[in-house]
Amino acid sequence: MEYDIALLPGDGIGNEVVEATIPVLDAASEKFGFEFQTTWYDWGSQRYLQKGEMLPDTAYDQLAEHDAILHGAMGHPDVPDHISSTEGHISIRREFDHYINLRPAILFDSSLTPLKGVETEDVNIVWYRENTEGEYIDVGGRLNRGGSTEIALQSSIYTKEGIRRIAKSAFRDAKTRSKKVTNVTKSNALSHGPVFWDEVVEEVSEEFPDVRLENMYVDAANMHLVQRPEDFDVVLSSNLFGDILTDLTAAIVGGLGMTPSANLNPNNDYPGMFEPVHGSAPDIAGDGIANPLATVLSSGLMFDDFGQSSAAAAIREGVEAQVSDETAPKTPDLGGSAKTRDVVDDLVTRF
Ligand code: ATP
């Protein structure tokens, strides 16, 4: 079997962490007997600064040719964030209708969490964030720009099918896990979209009688994730709430350097896009100290998507063994002083 992977490192540490992941792909392919080829695409903020576009016109057609996209991050201090994201990776998610943003947060070693008394078995959360509608649909406008009566309007869209398909994905996964879905909502204060969201989630839950639905307001979820992370397993949310709270779950498991993500649509033929939850981190870009593990773990989600579950498991086990080994190299965000490259060199010896 041979896989064709598009490498889209993007900006800042995106370049360092994607490059660092390649030896892990090599080690996995050697051990598990498959092959892969890669094509490197240097699109992102540098292109925007030179040509006024984050991606070329042909980007989607080129990316669609591959089996998967391994992405780093997009963002640059000289490019407004709303441009680098909406015209960069968010546009790819939209074009390929990646309605699932899967964001697992696993505590691989208890030393990594800032929470007192929390052990590895307490945190294994998988977040199903709706990824194509909700608050991130880019519909709105500004009136009277610059004037004292200026107005901004930002709309959200929730569609029945959009809610159904992400809810079904979460419930299906919950059947194989703890048989509980926590639906994060704000239907007490937002009386249209989120109330509709809850109604559709409730309807979907009736198709899964063996899975318990728990509804939780986003403010309470924020608090309970810190106080009792062990009560969360499969979490379902709209786009904005998932974006915000998965930085919190990242902090609980050791920071942004530890959390991977997958952008998926199992119903179409477009490639999935796999990327760390973190951004381009311009403050440390170029220093060679970025933690590569979030991107390495994202490649594990890519192998899951390919059906190479042994390779995916080996990546997670390798990361677990490394972060639990006091003598192993660790980047500064995990309290060590190692370089990105040291972490990968050590990791490939654990396959
Ligand atoms: P962007 O504008 O692209 O979102 P950002 O710096 O605002 O970038 P993140 O990159 O998500 O946001 O990260 C916030 C901070 O977390 C960074 O400034 C960096 O210090 C730290 N960080 C993020 N990812 C990593 C990583 N892989 N390794 C080490 N530190 C990281």
Side-chain angles (χ1 to χ4, degrees), residues 13-334:
I13 64 168
N15 288 284
E16 298 160 53
V17 293
V18 168
E19 193 177 345
T21 301
I22 295 170
V24 180
L25 305 183
D26 282 328
S29 70
E30 199 173 309
K31 170 139 192 198
F32 296 99
F34 57 85
E35 299 190 352
F36 70 95
Q37 55 163 320
T38 57
T39 310
W40 191 274
Y41 294 101
D42 62 351
W43 304 330
S45 297
Q46 289 302 339
R47 183 183 182 94
Y48 182 83
L49 292 171
Q50 285 157 12
K51 302 188 173 179
E53 60 182 19
M54 293 293 290
L55 310 174
D57 290 346
T58 55
Y60 309 125
D61 289 339
Q62 291 188 67
L63 292 173
E65 295 295 310
H66 299 274
D67 296 319
I69 306 162
L70 186 62
H71 175 47
M74 286 196 191
H76 189 283
D78 297 336
V79 179
D81 285 340
H82 68 276
I83 289 184
S84 55
S85 50
T86 56
E87 295 184 17
H89 59 281
I90 291 182
S91 79
I92 299 170
R93 294 173 185 168
R94 199 175 291 139
E95 183 68 22
F96 291 163
D97 197 24
H98 284 151
Y99 68 87
I100 301 172
N101 187 204
L102 188 72
R103 293 189 160 187
I106 299 172
L107 180 60
F108 287 108
D109 191 72
S110 58
S111 67
L112 297 179
T113 185
L115 301 183
K116 199 169 53 184
V118 168
E119 301 299 331
T120 48
E121 59 273 18
D122 294 330
V123 192
N124 186 337
I125 298 169
V126 59
W127 207 289
Y128 280 80
R129 169 189 173 198
E130 202 294 318
N131 212 22
T132 49
E133 44 187 59
E135 306 80 0
Y136 288 13
I137 45 144
D138 203 19
V139 171
R142 301 260 297 263
L143 279 178
N144 306 337
R145 266 183 196 265
S148 59
T149 56
E150 186 164 359
I151 299 169
L153 178 73
Q154 182 89 43
S155 299
S156 303
I157 286 183
Y158 299 87
T159 66
K160 191 163 199 171
E161 187 45 36
I163 304 166
R164 275 188 70 78
R165 61 185 187 172
I166 187 69
K168 275 185 149 180
S169 304
F171 275 89
R172 267 191 218 111
D173 197 13
K175 265 171 89 90
T176 68
R177 293 175 54 108
S178 71
K179 301 194 166 34
K180 180 173 97 167
V181 170
T182 303
N183 172 41
V184 172
T185 178
K186 192 62 189 166
S187 49
N188 54 341
L190 301 171
S191 54
H192 304 294
V195 169
F196 178 48
W197 171 283
D198 288 358
E199 285 169 12
V200 178
V201 171
E202 182 76 43
E203 253 177 54
V204 170
S205 82
E206 285 161 17
E207 296 168 33
F208 296 85
D210 50 341
V211 177
R212 185 160 67 86
L213 169 65
E214 172 185 56
N215 290 307
M216 194 178 286
Y217 295 131
V218 63
D219 37 352
N222 194 38
M223 178 178 68
H224 292 317
L225 276 164
V226 172
Q227 290 176 329
R228 44 180 180 87
E230 66 278 8
D231 287 351
F232 293 79
D233 185 61
V234 175
V235 185
L236 167 67
S237 78
S238 64
N239 218 327
L240 177 65
F241 298 156
D243 189 6
I244 296 170
L245 287 189
T246 52
D247 267 26
L248 177 61
T249 51
I252 290 172
V253 300
L256 286 167
M258 293 304 298
T259 40
S261 80
N263 301 279
L264 302 166
N265 183 336
N267 307 328
N268 69 27
D269 287 335
Y270 291 121
M273 182 163 71
F274 304 85
E275 57 180 320
V277 170
H278 65 71
S280 60
D283 54 331
I284 56 166
D287 295 344
I289 54 164
N291 186 345
L293 295 180
T295 312
V296 166
L297 290 164
S298 302
S299 76
L301 297 177
M302 178 176 75
F303 287 133
D304 275 327
D305 191 48
F306 289 162
Q308 294 285 352
S309 48
S310 302
I315 286 176
R316 287 188 275 276
E317 283 158 20
V319 169
E320 182 169 22
Q322 183 183 63
V323 296
S324 338
D325 178 350
E326 282 179 16
T327 65
K330 299 192 181 70
T331 45
D333 57 307
L334 298 187

